[in-house]
Amino acid sequence: MIQCETTLKKERTYDMSYERIELPRERIEAQEAIARRVAARFQAEGKQPLALVDTYGCQQNESDSERIRGYLAEMGCGFTDDEFAADIIVINTCAVREHAEQRILGNVGALNHTKKAKPGQLIALCGCMVQQPHMAERIKKSYPIVRLVFGPHELWRFPELMEQALTGKKRVFAVDASDGTVTEGEPRSRDGQVKAWLSIMYGCNNFCTYCVVPYVRGRERSRRPEEIVSEARRLVEAGYKDITLLGQNVNSYGKDLDREMDFADLLRQISEIPGRFVLRFMTSHPKDATEKLFRTMAECEKCAHHIHLPVQSGSDRILKAMNRGYTAKSYLEKVALARSYMPDLCLTTDIIVGFPGETEADFDDTLRLVETVGYDSMFTFIYSPRVGTPAAKLPDGVTRAEKQVRFDRLLDAANRISGEKHAAFVGRTLEVLVDGENRDESYPLTSRTGTGRLVHLRGDRETIGSFVHAKITGSTTWALFGETVQEEA
Ligand code: SAH
Ligand code: SF4
């Protein structure tokens, strides 16, 4: 049993042998009954409230917001993007970096205007930021316009919390310290008709020393494979063509289940569902990415040849301080192994610059690794201290200005490498899935290649949701540009 002491939840001890708790379906059905009761109440008052759900952060949050919209729809709400028109505003927050928190708090503060103009407006905050006790406290004290606050573990009982907030006298704060549960059968109002998120597991057990996620999202827990496969089948039958499996570390999938089943097995089962679709996933922790996973990806036709494999740093000293569980050498070996199975592999990563104590030599190791791997694209971040995490207590002699210089150097390298990779596609014809519309009149469509590269496309709007061939005519650091053609790739 690994234990991790933290001040975040009042020196709570985290028990990695935590047992997976799946809530009985009746608990969700009871929530749906409450949602109908709320809808009846609105109807009796002769109004159809408009709701706005604003989402910050990762794909898991996007997916959670679809659950919130699903419940709101059951409560009889319509939807709007206009905060002055909204009767209910739900802000789904992120805690991964301070910058996100500042933006969220700034935007909540700005809602004072809308609340003044519309005093009956109900403002709710949910998600990772408010699961941190110091943040819940701050909202309680300094943001009285916020009437309802709930953490990720409480989302399944959103109707009950809404009813309390609508009918009770007191503000509602539901940010308990549980490790979380697995829920099935909640309503969901999906954002599009081509691409779909599919959560396969929740939480994280890795406790990377800089990261707040394990504290706010609880311990790793997997959904049962039969639930996941039947949800995937329903998505394919409903016409979705691009399914992304979500988890903080999908490579841990199945460890808490009552049977021998790993992530590669799950990928194979989903890819056997009849119909044409692309199967993606994120995120993969490098320490747990196996040869079996790479082989399965190569063998299963529907699996995109794309891995997001966050390296975080190229320095062994910093990787150790981050508690990442691999070295630069073992990471590079995994990359080589993955490429040996999938020579066309699209590889993306996350990197943190300026972890406490990072020296110029450590940073050079990161730059060297980036050049060696040649990532297709990179998400780069300046280290942000998070309350209660071990790294936040480490001494840090590097100034913000020095970190910024390193960050800019890394970004230059990242942009140059992706630009070169993209330029190499010009002149080729690729199969792409047309997945949406663009504001750009010259390229009215967006599409993705099998490996997940963005292609701005000239073509017919009626092709949205289909696979077409695109001749690549141009490229930038971020994307490819092309036109729909008839011939085979
Ligand atoms: N579970 C995923 C992603 C978690 S958060 C994974 O392990 O890959 C997404 C990214 O945010 C991380 O990969 C990391 O690069 C970055 N990040 C997390 N905590 C951070 C912090 N305190 N400061 C800066 N970046 C951070
Ligand atoms: Fe955070 Fe590390 Fe877990 Fe990713 S694997 S969510 S970076 S603790």
Side-chain angles (χ1 to χ4, degrees), residues 37 136 144 175 200 222 224 257 268 387 398 408 410 414 444 464:
R37 197 158 71 208
V175 280
I200 63 164
S222 308
R224 279 182 286 124
L257 291 174
R268 196 175 286 280
V387 172
V398 185
D408 293 344
L410 182 64
I464 292 175

Side-chain angles (χ1 to χ4, degrees), residues 96 203-215 217 220 247-249 283-288 310 312 322-324 350 352:
V96 169
C204 180
N205 284 0
N206 288 312
F207 288 97
C208 301
T209 56
Y210 50 81
C211 185
V212 77
V213 172
Y215 305 93
R217 288 255 173 204
E220 277 173 4
Q248 294 301 339
N249 174 15
T283 297
S284 264
H285 195 303
K287 78 176 163 53
D288 300 317
Q312 312 298 358
M322 288 177 163
N323 189 31
R324 288 292 287 177
D350 294 342
I352 298 177

